[in-house]
Amino acid sequence: MATINEFKDGLQMLEEATGDAERIQEQVLGQILKRNAGTEYLSQYLNGKTDMVLFKKNVPIVTYEDIKPYIDRIANGETSNILVAEPIVEFHRSSGTSGGQPKLIPATAEISNLGALYFTLIASVMNKHSLEIEACELGLTYSYFIYRHFGNLYQAGKRLEFMFVKEDSETPSGLKARSSSTSFYKDDRFRKVVSKHSTSPIEAILCSDTNQSMYCQLLTGLIKRDEVVSVASAFATVVLRAIKFLEDHWKELCSNIRSGEISDWITDSGCKDALSSIMKPNPQLADSIQNICSCKSWEGIIQKLWPKAKFINAVTTGVMSQYVETLEFYGGGLPLVSVFYACSEAFCGINLEPLTGPSHVSYTFIPNMAYFEFLPLNKDSLTIAQEDIETKPVDLVHVMLDQYYELLVTSVAGLYRYKVGDVLKVTGFHNSTPQFQFVERQNVILSIHTDKTSEEDLLKAVTEAKTLLEPLGFFSRGYTSYADLSSIPGHYVIFWELKAKEENDNLELDPKIMAECCYRMEESLGYIYRSNRKQNAIEALEIRVVKQGSFDELMDYYVSQGTSMTQYKTPSCIMSKEAIKILDSKVMAKFFSP
Ligand code: AMP
């Protein structure tokens, strides 16, 4: 529990930082240079100097591939100060979003302190809005409600938040390599407070068998259903994975709750211990859950199972926006909250108005987290603006409204002018700090001939096709794509998992409507795609409808390859032959554009 005053401190800190962004950014860069100018990496460009103008003139803008040789040397045992003066304590494995390879990002003690601060700030924002909802339910104004609580201990209720770790691996030099979320969950500071805020026992979160972990987190979430005020996961995929898991396991969960005994296949000692302290026969609870879950339609299931939940807290922007309708269906109208924008490279932004709908979410950058620069992009093609002229990145406070940018990060842990690979659009300012809409991952491109289809283009095309299926009671459980070049000319393949809103595993899809979906997608793709099609340089777009659970298997595949489940984002486009093979083995029907 925290006091209202503690939340207020967080909010005040956000106000101060966003009001003084230019000075704070200069301070952040100044400190980074002062400490690290002597590293092997920076000294080749700065000659030991700490001058910010020189930094911008001489230090190159880089991708992961450019700095990988330095990272590999450290991973193989050379000293950290090739890149950064503060010792590297571990590497964070990025999830390899959009089908790329997982990357190793250096992390220092200061990074974990920044992480703790970032999550405290997020908690302040969320608590403010939870209080606002509560005040509204009581018919009070927010300020009167705060006045009444002022200084009191405030228990905001608990989250049913699905959190997963991956086993640590080690680099040849003995440094840990793990996802940033795993590192966060294993931190003592998190362990100490988790039981106050979350129904998931720490033992279940730290169990690296994701099935046992999910089972225990759902079981405790169901047993404590009256305490749950929000259902959450970092990204929307995991809440949906939990719903699918519940579909497959609710009878077993009810039987465990009825008998007070846990299933034999839960063998992890941590999970067993955590459950044994809360399990007791509860036939009444089992009956209520059974009544809810045996309904034909699972519309609003989250609200029915957790009636005090006020929102679903999981990122639904960027590639996750494909899940908005599905989450709305299961959530029964609960608001969807996307509160953070962060990556393994840096903690970046917070949504200061978390109750705004998914399509209007903007993240306000937090100036203390890293030094941020922005490469202007050409709005139409999202390539670097004015290709003929050398485009210069701009500082955080100098970005322009409505302009698109690619994010560059200079972190306290040895990344300098590093391309994160995300495209952002400026939507406004909070005090002097810009707010950004997440647009897409850069370079996720389907291409057969001269066409270039980005993540956002594909999302629009699928959304367009979905409008034909929604009135028929179908929703999407995931899609991805690849450019099939096995025959000439090649064509786009969209793998699509569809589900009927009414319980029904036998999907009856009308071939005419599915062909129309293919056509709608093509119509929605860019002019160049369509003219290529007219000239037969590209074959007809194909939709391959896959069986229920196929996208969970795709996730399992990526998790087996090193991605953390917590940070998993469905790739919009897959390159991996293995991943394509998995989905191909699940195809139920194929449809082509007429
Ligand atoms: P990782 O480093 O593996 O956790 O992946 C970080 C990437 O996830 C970012 O670079 C973004 O592409 C994506 N991401 C993180 N937060 C958001 C968000 N709020 N909305 C959309 N995409 C996000």
Side-chain angles (χ1 to χ4, degrees):
M1 271 187 275
T3 64
I4 299 273
N5 279 339
E6 277 165 3
F7 301 149
K8 283 180 122 185
D9 287 347
L11 295 175
Q12 194 179 335
M13 190 173 169
L14 277 171
E15 283 308 297
E16 283 167 8
T18 53
D20 199 10
E22 187 162 16
R23 194 189 59 81
I24 295 175
Q25 282 282 277
E26 273 181 17
Q27 204 177 38
V28 169
L29 180 60
Q31 267 172 13
I32 291 175
L33 294 181
K34 205 163 133 198
R35 285 192 213 154
N36 301 306
T39 57
E40 179 186 322
Y41 183 81
L42 278 185
S43 57
Q44 61 187 317
Y45 306 112
L46 299 178
N47 224 346
K49 297 206 174 74
T50 58
D51 180 354
M52 293 186 216
V53 178
L54 207 62
F55 170 81
K56 291 193 187 169
K57 190 164 161 250
N58 288 359
V59 176
I61 293 169
V62 291
T63 62
Y64 184 73
E65 288 312 310
D66 297 320
I67 55 158
K68 190 171 178 295
Y70 296 89
I71 290 181
D72 286 347
R73 280 169 59 196
I74 300 170
N76 287 324
E78 284 190 53
T79 156
S80 310
N81 67 22
I82 294 173
L83 275 177
V84 58
E86 192 191 353
I88 290 175
V89 289
E90 61 184 19
F91 286 103
H92 289 167
R93 243 173 209 284
S94 80
S95 63
T97 315
S98 315
Q101 287 304 309
K103 299 167 188 155
L104 289 183
I105 307 294
T108 57
E110 192 176 355
I111 283 284
S112 75
N113 291 339
L114 282 174
L117 173 63
Y118 180 69
F119 289 104
T120 307
L121 295 177
I122 288 178
S124 296
V125 172
M126 286 315 301
N127 281 312
K128 171 174 185 254
H129 287 83
S130 302
L131 286 167
E132 269 175 358
I133 298 179
E134 221 166 287
C136 182
E137 282 170 358
L138 293 171
L140 301 173
T141 62
Y142 175 63
S143 47
Y144 180 66
F145 184 72
I146 290 291
Y147 163 76
R148 277 202 353 197
H149 274 77
F150 198 80
N152 291 344
L153 283 181
Y154 172 70
Q155 171 59 294
K158 288 192 176 177
R159 297 190 288 265
L160 165 53
E161 179 167 1
F162 300 100
M163 296 171 266
F164 300 93
V165 297
K166 266 204 80 71
E167 268 158 11
D168 300 344
S169 58
E170 264 188 15
T171 64
S173 65
L175 285 171
K176 285 197 176 94
R178 54 194 188 177
S179 66
S180 52
S181 49
T182 296
S183 175
F184 183 71
Y185 300 146
K186 288 188 175 174
D187 190 314
D188 280 345
R189 283 171 286 195
F190 175 78
R191 283 170 193 246
K192 275 189 200 137
V193 297
V194 63
S195 62
K196 288 183 195 155
H197 306 298
S198 162
T199 55
S200 295
I202 184 71
E203 297 83 350
I205 299 168
L206 297 183
C207 166
S208 53
D209 175 335
T210 49
N211 281 328
Q212 294 195 49
S213 173
M214 176 71 92
Y215 191 86
C216 295
Q217 296 193 52
L218 269 171
L219 189 53
T220 40
L222 288 169
I223 291 172
K224 298 183 179 182
R225 62 191 280 243
D226 286 334
E227 292 174 47
V228 171
V229 292
S230 67
V231 173
S233 65
F235 293 94
T237 25
V238 173
V239 173
L240 290 176
R241 168 118 187 181
I243 300 285
K244 176 77 178 71
F245 194 93
L246 190 62
E247 272 175 5
D248 297 340
H249 292 88
W250 65 266
K251 289 186 182 142
E252 186 182 344
L253 287 159
C254 285
S255 141
N256 285 188
I257 294 171
R258 189 178 305 286
S259 65
E261 304 284 333
I262 34 174
S263 300
D264 291 344
W265 65 275
I266 303 297
T267 51
D268 178 83
S269 56
C271 287
K272 278 167 76 173
D273 287 349
L275 287 174
S276 65
S277 61
I278 57 161
M279 294 291 290
K280 54 176 191 300
N282 192 341
Q284 225 180 346
L285 178 63
D287 283 346
S288 354
I289 296 170
Q290 188 171 327
N291 281 341
I292 295 169
C293 292
S294 48
C295 276
K296 203 166 166 230
S297 166
W298 272 35
E299 184 162 7
I301 191 85
I302 295 180
Q303 208 176 33
K304 290 178 192 159
L305 287 173
W306 294 284
K308 290 189 184 155
K310 294 181 172 62
F311 45 80
I312 298 172
N313 189 348
V315 166
T316 51
T317 48
V319 72
M320 294 292 142
S321 57
Q322 62 174 296
Y323 301 115
V324 167
E325 286 87 9
T326 314
L327 270 183
E328 280 173 347
F329 173 78
Y330 288 122
L334 284 175
L336 304 182
V337 168
S338 297
V339 72
F340 75 89
Y341 166 56
C343 48
S344 308
E345 292 86 347
F347 306 101
C348 305
I350 296 180
N351 175 5
L352 299 182
E353 294 298 333
L355 295 174
T356 39
S359 51
H360 294 104
V361 169
S362 287
Y363 302 99
T364 304
F365 266 48
I366 311 300
N368 337 43
M369 293 290 144
Y371 181 68
F372 301 110
E373 291 174 277
F374 298 85
L375 258 184
L377 294 175
N378 186 321
K379 203 170 180 174
D380 301 318
S381 57
L382 291 183
T383 49
I384 309 266
Q386 299 163 296
E387 272 162 6
D388 43 334
I389 304 168
E390 199 200 339
T391 312
K392 288 211 171 74
V394 293
D395 291 336
L396 180 67
V397 293
H398 294 128
V399 296
M400 277 162 27
L401 193 63
D402 290 333
Q403 171 69 49
Y404 290 75
Y405 295 95
E406 184 176 356
L407 173 64
L408 307 179
V409 158
T410 295
S411 79
V412 295
L415 302 176
Y416 306 100
R417 315 194 92 192
Y418 172 97
K419 281 181 168 208
V420 170
D422 290 341
V423 177
L424 309 172
K425 180 187 173 191
V426 183
T427 51
F429 289 82
H430 182 80
N431 299 324
S432 62
T433 305
Q435 302 176 300
F436 295 89
Q437 178 198 335
F438 183 92
V439 179
E440 63 180 1
R441 286 291 293 175
Q442 178 85 312
N443 295 333
V444 181
I445 279 174
L446 276 175
S447 179
I448 301 280
H449 192 56
T450 51
D451 53 306
K452 285 192 176 112
T453 295
S454 71
E455 184 171 279
E456 202 194 16
D457 299 332
L458 190 65
L459 177 65
K460 272 192 198 138
V462 174
T463 307
E464 194 54 46
K466 264 202 291 196
T467 57
L468 292 173
L469 297 178
E470 269 160 12
L472 305 175
F474 294 111
F475 61 80
S476 163
R477 275 207 127 138
Y479 72 82
T480 187
S481 66
Y482 82 103
D484 184 346
L485 300 166
S486 60
S487 53
I488 297 172
H491 70 294
Y492 288 12
V493 174
I494 316 294
F495 290 105
W496 209 0
E497 185 175 324
L498 293 167
K499 178 153 171 68
K501 285 186 178 164
E502 296 293 312
E503 189 197 31
N504 179 4
D505 276 344
N506 303 323
L507 276 186
E508 284 188 19
L509 298 167
D510 179 338
K512 264 201 202 138
I513 293 181
M514 291 310 294
E516 178 69 16
C517 285
C518 298
Y519 179 68
R520 283 277 180 101
M521 284 189 193
E522 292 203 301
E523 283 293 286
S524 154
L525 294 172
Y527 164 78
I528 299 176
Y529 174 89
R530 293 198 310 272
S531 62
N532 272 316
R533 275 284 285 134
K534 278 192 192 123
Q535 291 156 15
N536 283 330
I538 303 179
E539 258 300 345
L541 180 145
E542 177 184 1
I543 292 179
R544 296 186 190 161
V545 177
V546 290
K547 290 184 194 142
Q548 301 295 310
S550 303
F551 275 74
D552 283 347
E553 282 195 34
L554 187 70
M555 186 195 287
D556 290 339
Y557 166 72
Y558 281 108
V559 170
S560 76
Q561 299 299 299
T563 298
S564 123
M565 176 123 105
T566 301
Q567 287 168 236
Y568 176 78
K569 291 123 213 137
T570 320
S572 301
C573 169
I574 43 181
M575 299 342 167
S576 147
K577 286 204 176 97
E578 202 54 41
I580 295 174
K581 221 163 106 189
I582 291 170
L583 290 180
D584 257 337
S585 71
K586 308 276 165 201
V587 172
M588 292 162 51
K590 298 180 176 184
F591 304 95
F592 291 87
S593 176

